[in-house]
Amino acid sequence: MLGFLRKKIQRIFGGAEESPVTPEAKKIQPEAGKHKPANKPVAKGRTSPKPGRPAKAEEGQPARVSKSEVARPEQLAKPRGTGLFVNQQKLLEDLETGLLECGVAFEVVDILLAGVREVKPREAKARLRKDLLALLKPAEIPARLPARPYVILIAGINGTGKTTTVAKLARYFLDRKKSVVVAAADTFRAAAIEQLREHCNRLGVRMIEHQYGSDPAAVAFDAVRHAEAKKVDVVLIDTSGRLHVDAGLMRELEKVKRVVKPHLSLLTIDATTGNDAVEQARAFDPLIDGVVLTKFDVDERGGALISVSAVTGKPVYFLAAGQAYGDLEPLEPRKIIDAMGL
Ligand SMILES: Nc1nc2c(ncn2[C@@H]2O[C@H](COP(=O)(O)OP(=O)(O)OP(=O)(O)O)[C@@H](O)[C@H]2O)c(=O)[nH]1
Ligand SMILES: [Mg+2]
């Protein structure tokens, strides 16, 4: 898991043979600088970030730097200081590239880099680790459910794994000796009800359904009424995929929420989503309490997870990493950040 991301980040912070970190940057990283003789002067030209591009610090006009890191004249006067400064730029650029290649959205990369810029290069790794730990918030459904029925709504854009997640959640609660009823509130997509029914038949749980084209809020309402009457522990509401830019469909989701007042509304985000994760998260944010990151087995880079957590500040309840009903894991931020090599 996360091997790709680990490779990227480790390359940035040294340790790998192909590390693009310059010798001077290695010197300021305790572990990475082991093989470099102390006090060896940095070869001229080695600090130029890219062939054909002038060394930014030599010009004194580095691109893409915050005010706080613009080199002071006294720094530029000392060759050693110049080297460190150039290497800070190199570190930031490499870090930016690494995070972008890992699928972290542009604006979230900027937020993370702003934090790194506030510290010395040798503290960058610790700072990034701290910021990521603060971002990635795990949450779990309480073992003792606070209500009966406990109502969970699953929402998200098309194909992100809502229906599969409903089925996995049904298995999750059945394993914990809770009774479950499922609401087929995707009355829009062809074959959506049959797809859910197949899962429910396999899992042995009751599904409440209406006809295609009927009001999803009415289906959800009936499922909750059924659960109340039959003393069912959990209601899981499957909703249709909706593009976050479709105001009409977002209002429909608001109506479902208004009518059944779920205890927990979860947004499914596909781990393969790139920059769009930010837009999806922002649009659904007012309607959700937390996130389920799906298809984590398909894309292990963790970028979408970081982006959505940064934008919503909402906790992550599960990582779905596979198509089997049991493929639902809690988020373990330390494990993820350790795997990144931070
Ligand atoms: N590899 C993998 N595939 C998944 C995962 N979750 C869902 N899928 C697959 O993704 C596809 C879409 O899943 P659905 O559960 O139908 O997605 P949905 O959001 O309900 O789709 P719509 O109802 O059409 O909006 C299916 O082929 C699932 O088997 C996962 O965690 N890992
Ligand atoms: Mg579905």
Side-chain angles (χ1 to χ4, degrees):
M1 279 297 221
L2 294 165
F4 179 80
L5 187 52
R6 178 171 52 239
K7 217 169 129 199
K8 286 277 160 214
I9 301 287
Q10 278 180 342
R11 215 182 63 200
I12 291 161
F13 286 111
E17 312 82 59
E18 78 272 36
S19 170
V21 180
T22 62
E24 191 64 18
K26 281 184 179 172
K27 199 162 71 181
I28 58 173
Q29 296 169 62
E31 326 87 272
K34 273 180 194 159
H35 305 299
K36 188 180 185 305
N39 304 325
K40 190 175 173 189
V42 181
K44 230 180 168 183
R46 291 293 300 276
T47 51
S48 180
K50 293 224 171 84
R53 274 171 62 181
K56 290 166 181 171
E58 284 165 16
E59 291 179 349
Q61 290 295 328
R64 292 154 78 200
V65 290
S66 72
K67 278 182 196 159
S68 62
E69 69 187 5
V70 173
R72 294 186 301 273
E74 65 271 23
Q75 277 180 316
L76 293 174
K78 294 176 192 163
R80 201 176 143 80
T82 305
L84 283 174
F85 174 71
V86 170
N87 285 318
Q88 188 193 25
Q89 292 307 302
K90 179 86 178 95
L91 179 74
L92 285 167
E93 281 174 15
D94 287 345
L95 188 54
E96 180 179 37
T97 307
L99 288 168
L100 288 173
E101 285 180 4
C102 289
V104 181
F106 281 103
E107 64 177 275
V108 177
V109 171
D110 283 347
I111 294 167
L112 291 168
L113 290 185
V116 172
R117 280 194 181 97
E118 286 172 7
V119 299
K120 297 190 177 84
R122 66 172 175 276
E123 292 156 9
K125 185 173 164 175
R127 173 60 187 252
L128 189 58
R129 186 180 167 87
K130 186 171 148 247
D131 288 351
L132 286 173
L133 268 177
L135 270 187
L136 299 177
K137 295 182 201 135
E140 57 183 37
I141 295 169
R144 186 186 279 255
L145 295 176
R148 189 168 78 178
Y150 186 69
V151 182
I152 303 180
L153 175 116
I154 305 292
I157 74 157
N158 311 62
T160 46
K162 295 175 295 297
T163 304
T164 312
T165 299
V166 164
K168 288 172 179 171
L169 282 172
R171 163 59 63 80
Y172 173 90
F173 285 111
L174 292 174
D175 286 349
R176 283 158 184 75
K177 312 280 177 248
K178 306 288 183 202
S179 51
V180 175
V181 65
V182 169
D186 181 356
T187 58
F188 177 73
R189 182 174 63 75
I193 299 175
E194 287 75 12
Q195 180 193 2
L196 187 61
R197 187 185 300 126
E198 200 175 319
H199 284 304
C200 290
N201 287 343
R202 275 193 222 149
L203 290 159
V205 300
R206 176 86 190 263
M207 181 181 89
I208 303 298
E209 64 180 286
H210 288 191
Q211 303 223 319
Y212 281 106
S214 58
D215 184 351
V219 185
F221 183 82
D222 278 0
V224 174
R225 283 284 163 275
H226 171 88
E228 284 168 353
K230 304 285 178 191
K231 300 196 180 343
V232 176
D233 297 313
V234 179
V235 178
L236 299 172
I237 303 170
D238 184 29
T239 61
S240 61
R242 64 201 72 232
L243 282 178
H244 47 297
V245 288
D246 189 326
L249 286 177
M250 293 306 279
R251 274 199 299 277
E252 181 192 84
L253 189 62
E254 278 169 33
K255 183 179 172 191
V256 178
K257 280 207 70 173
R258 226 173 27 248
V259 169
V260 294
K261 298 187 178 52
H263 300 95
L264 186 63
S265 298
L266 297 176
L267 171 67
T268 50
I269 290 277
D270 181 332
T272 63
T273 317
N275 279 307
D276 196 48
V278 163
E279 299 311 320
Q280 289 177 31
R282 215 164 254 147
F284 280 94
D285 192 21
L287 298 173
I288 57 147
D289 306 302
V291 172
V292 177
L293 189 85
T294 60
K295 309 188 193 182
F296 199 52
D297 53 316
V298 180
D299 188 333
E300 59 178 21
R301 297 174 302 164
L305 177 70
I306 292 167
S307 301
V308 170
S309 298
V311 169
T312 64
K314 302 267 164 77
V316 178
Y317 278 76
F318 295 102
L319 301 184
Q323 304 205 50
Y325 293 138
D327 291 333
L328 215 48
E329 313 165 2
L331 168 68
E332 294 182 63
R334 272 178 207 285
K335 221 162 120 181
I336 285 181
I337 294 166
D338 287 348
M340 289 165 69
L342 286 173

